[in-house]
Amino acid sequence: MARTPITVAFGDGIGPEIMSATLTMIEAAGAQLEMETIEIGQKLYEAGYPSGIDERAWESLHRTRVFLKAPITTPQGGGYKSLNVTIRKALGLYANIRPAVAYHPVIETLHPGMDIVIIRENEEDLYAGIEYRQSIDQYEAIKLATHPGSERIVRFAFEYAQAYGRKKVTCFTKDNILKMTDGLFHRLFEEVAAEYPAIQKEHWIVDIGSAKLAFRPQEFDVVVIPNLYGDILSDIMAQLAGSVGLAGSANIGASYAMFEAVHGSAPRRAGQDVANPSGLFLAAVQMLVYLGQTEAAERAHNAWLRTLEEGIHTRDIFREGKSRKLVGTQEFAREVARRMGQEPQSLLRPVRYPQGVPRPRADFPYLRKEQPKELVGIDLFLENSPTSPESLAERLQSLAGPELSLQCVANRGLVVWPTRQTQALRVDNYQARFLWRASCGTPPTQEKGLELARKCMEAGLGIVRVQWLYRYGNEPGYSQLQGE
Ligand code: NAD
């Protein structure tokens, strides 16, 4: 078999130790890899690269398109950007795949039957990182959801389920509150699910769904989930499986892929040969499957399961009376390498990676559908000392021409005019919603909206943001305010 070129980074903290152990194990399994090593992380940050990566590393990644990465240490303080987020975005790694598997009875877990895969959207949502300070009192982050971004992660989840013979895909959102962003994710989930009738589908509101997942994970199979919820939930599930040291993850895009442990660089354990290399190792197994080296993946995975089954454990999972031998990072790798060709026999089940199974598709074409769009109003966000809403509304009404009618004024998303008294906190940032009067006889224009914004500015009402309100077909392109 020809060797596949990959890029490898040994990372920081425990990174070099767990990477060399991982390479020992997968090479013993017969992985056919041509490795290019790059330096990323702490040294690069210190050398003045704000994202911890230099041109040489990018060249290698663009050449091989497959990255096996050990954890790195992110320096504290401002001015540094997350290397992981930078790489995910630059390489379009939109799908984060995190299996959470119980190794009962070998490793203590509350959930012996757990065998789930969390597929987390990796690029959008609050992780788009668009944040503003809008006034003295108010800060904002934008939760970004796009049609192609949501559709492809949902499609990927069904393709994944199909490729790996999984039975069910569950979607988690909070679309009872976030009707537009999470609503889009949920709607596309339902539409895409209809194209995969052989796979069961279900949707849960993320709060109660997460509670159910943490309580009875054995009732779940594949979970597809927006970025932030997925980040939190997948760490919880990794911990429930027994140890964060056991969880590996894949980041997949249309033409690149990155494989890494879920945990970080654990600096306090560095250099002591105590870290568990299993998280990075299981990520590397996922990489072998991705590369079509399924025989090596299966050999490696089963030898690892056999080693666990025989009670040969690193410190994080070692239990007096249950485990048989306490080993360091490198010795654990050698014990696994020695067991190549063996499978677990009594306590754990062997894994099977059938030959020739196509990997799940990740390159989905997106057909953008044009839609009629009509301007219907404007929201003006104003920085204003917390005056009485009535007096603010009065001033705004006097500034609006005959075309625009003031519908309401809101503070922190809650309507404060016209309304009854509320006990809710009021801050220095108001949202004034103006809608076009159908009776005025002139069609809505952005010029009229800007004219109003200018008048407000001249009257000393600090404009923070101008937001156009559109209808798309029959649907408003903006949410109703609470109490509107
Ligand atoms: P961490 O995951 O490094 O450690 C959390 C806890 O888990 C610690 O108690 C640690 O000792 C333990 N642990 C982690 N991996 C282990 C292993 N393989 N075997 C045994 N025990 C293990 O998280 P942290 O302490 O919050 O972060 C440390 C550094 O790692 C930070 O600089 C952070 O920015 C970075 N980090 C990097 C990545 C990455 O590169 N993908 C991910 C998360 C955190």
Side-chain angles (χ1 to χ4, degrees):
M1 189 195 265
R3 288 175 171 266
T4 309
I6 66 164
T7 301
V8 174
F10 282 72
D12 303 317
I14 58 169
E17 299 160 54
I18 60 172
M19 180 59 86
S20 75
T22 293
L23 296 179
T24 301
M25 292 184 271
I26 59 172
E27 279 173 352
Q32 297 297 311
L33 303 169
E34 185 88 46
M35 287 180 249
E36 291 184 13
T37 303
I38 58 168
E39 183 82 58
I40 53 166
Q42 206 165 15
K43 272 202 201 120
L44 276 291
Y45 280 118
E46 283 165 5
Y49 293 91
S51 301
I53 180 164
D54 64 6
E55 260 324 297
R56 199 187 85 73
W58 283 121
E59 275 166 28
S60 173
L61 292 173
H62 290 311
R63 202 167 30 245
T64 67
R65 297 173 171 232
V66 180
F67 187 19
L68 181 60
K69 174 182 163 292
I72 59 123
T73 301
T74 318
Q76 301 281 318
Y80 299 111
K81 290 200 194 121
S82 156
L83 173 61
N84 265 11
V85 175
T86 305
I87 292 177
R88 274 183 218 151
K89 287 198 172 168
L91 304 184
L93 307 176
Y94 69 86
N96 181 207
I97 300 151
R98 291 191 181 188
V101 183
Y103 302 101
H104 176 80
V106 174
I107 296 172
E108 264 175 35
T109 168
L110 288 172
H111 300 300
M114 172 160 72
D115 178 9
I116 61 170
V117 180
I118 296 181
I119 298 186
R120 162 192 166 199
E121 199 286 317
N122 225 0
E123 292 181 315
E124 301 194 346
D125 199 358
L126 287 159
Y127 288 69
I130 310 169
E131 293 189 290
Y132 298 102
R133 183 170 186 177
Q134 295 288 27
S135 59
I136 299 279
D137 291 344
Q138 187 161 311
Y139 297 72
E140 285 178 11
I142 290 184
K143 179 174 158 85
L144 189 84
T146 70
H147 188 137
S150 305
E151 184 173 328
R152 68 180 176 171
I153 189 71
V154 168
R155 276 194 190 285
F156 181 82
F158 280 94
E159 288 286 319
Y160 183 97
Q162 203 167 49
Y164 289 95
R166 298 252 171 187
K167 303 281 178 290
K168 182 165 83 172
V169 180
T170 305
C171 173
F172 282 2
T173 70
K174 186 78 187 171
D175 67 339
N176 53 336
I177 305 293
L178 297 162
K179 297 196 164 75
M180 297 184 68
T181 47
D182 279 11
L184 173 74
F185 200 94
H186 184 180
R187 177 167 63 78
L188 292 170
F189 172 75
E190 297 294 338
E191 282 176 27
V192 170
E195 296 174 33
Y196 297 83
I199 299 171
Q200 289 174 50
K201 55 113 187 165
E202 65 179 6
H203 171 267
W204 287 92
I205 297 295
V206 63
D207 39 27
I208 188 63
S210 304
K212 195 171 148 65
L213 181 62
F215 188 57
R216 288 190 199 282
Q218 64 278 13
E219 290 175 11
F220 292 82
D221 197 347
V222 173
V223 172
V224 65
I225 187 163
N227 204 342
L228 177 63
Y229 314 141
D231 193 6
I232 299 166
L233 202 59
S234 53
D235 268 22
I236 294 173
M237 299 318 289
Q239 191 62 59
L240 283 179
S243 163
V244 283
L246 291 171
S249 107
N251 295 272
I252 307 277
S255 23
Y256 291 83
M258 173 171 86
F259 301 86
E260 63 178 347
V262 163
H263 60 76
S265 60
R268 271 178 303 180
R269 290 184 196 226
Q272 298 166 35
D273 193 42
V274 292
N276 189 343
S278 301
L280 184 59
F281 165 76
L282 289 175
V285 168
Q286 286 195 55
M287 177 185 75
L288 294 177
V289 176
Y290 175 87
L291 295 175
Q293 299 189 23
T294 42
E295 212 172 299
E298 193 173 297
R299 274 165 66 79
H301 204 154
N302 283 325
W304 177 82
L305 286 168
R306 176 68 179 259
T307 310
L308 287 188
E309 189 183 73
E310 288 188 23
I312 297 167
H313 295 163
T314 45
R315 202 164 71 188
D316 58 315
I317 54 171
F318 186 86
R319 294 289 173 275
E320 209 59 63
K322 269 193 140 187
S323 306
R324 210 166 52 78
K325 186 177 173 194
L326 176 64
V327 286
T329 313
Q330 306 311 322
E331 194 182 349
F332 179 78
R334 286 193 295 273
E335 293 281 1
V336 173
R338 205 172 295 142
R339 286 171 178 74
M340 285 303 154
Q342 298 182 26
E343 294 191 343
Q345 292 196 318
S346 48
L347 304 175
L348 300 173
R349 268 186 318 177
V351 293
R352 295 281 170 252
Y353 292 112
Q355 290 290 313
V357 174
R359 70 179 182 217
R361 264 192 78 182
D363 57 332
F364 306 106
Y366 166 64
L367 296 176
R368 186 170 179 271
K369 288 189 213 94
E370 291 303 330
Q371 255 189 310
K373 153 177 168 181
E374 180 199 359
L375 186 65
V376 294
I378 182 174
D379 272 358
L380 294 181
F381 289 78
L382 308 157
E383 185 179 9
N384 220 275
S385 53
T387 49
S388 103
E390 288 73 25
S391 66
L392 179 62
E394 220 168 273
R395 289 180 74 189
L396 289 167
Q397 277 172 317
S398 72
L399 296 168
E403 299 89 355
L404 284 160
S405 132
L406 181 66
Q407 291 298 299
C408 55
V409 176
N411 195 286
R412 299 194 306 137
L414 173 72
V415 171
V416 290
W417 178 93
T419 188
R420 292 186 301 274
Q421 285 295 313
T422 146
Q423 298 303 309
L425 173 71
R426 218 155 14 89
V427 298
D428 62 357
N429 198 297
Y430 287 90
Q431 177 180 4
R433 174 157 292 178
F434 296 88
L435 291 183
W436 223 266
R437 281 186 214 277
S439 58
C440 75
T442 51
T445 60
Q446 291 192 341
E447 282 70 23
K448 278 283 168 214
L450 289 177
E451 208 175 284
L452 173 60
R454 207 165 22 245
K455 278 198 225 160
C456 290
M457 242 155 48
E458 284 161 7
L461 301 169
I463 297 282
V464 170
R465 189 165 84 224
V466 172
Q467 178 70 54
W468 306 112
L469 304 180
Y470 282 100
R471 286 187 76 80
Y472 289 79
N474 286 327
E475 280 179 23
Y478 51 95
S479 61
Q480 293 283 101
L481 294 161
Q482 273 164 31
E484 189 174 351

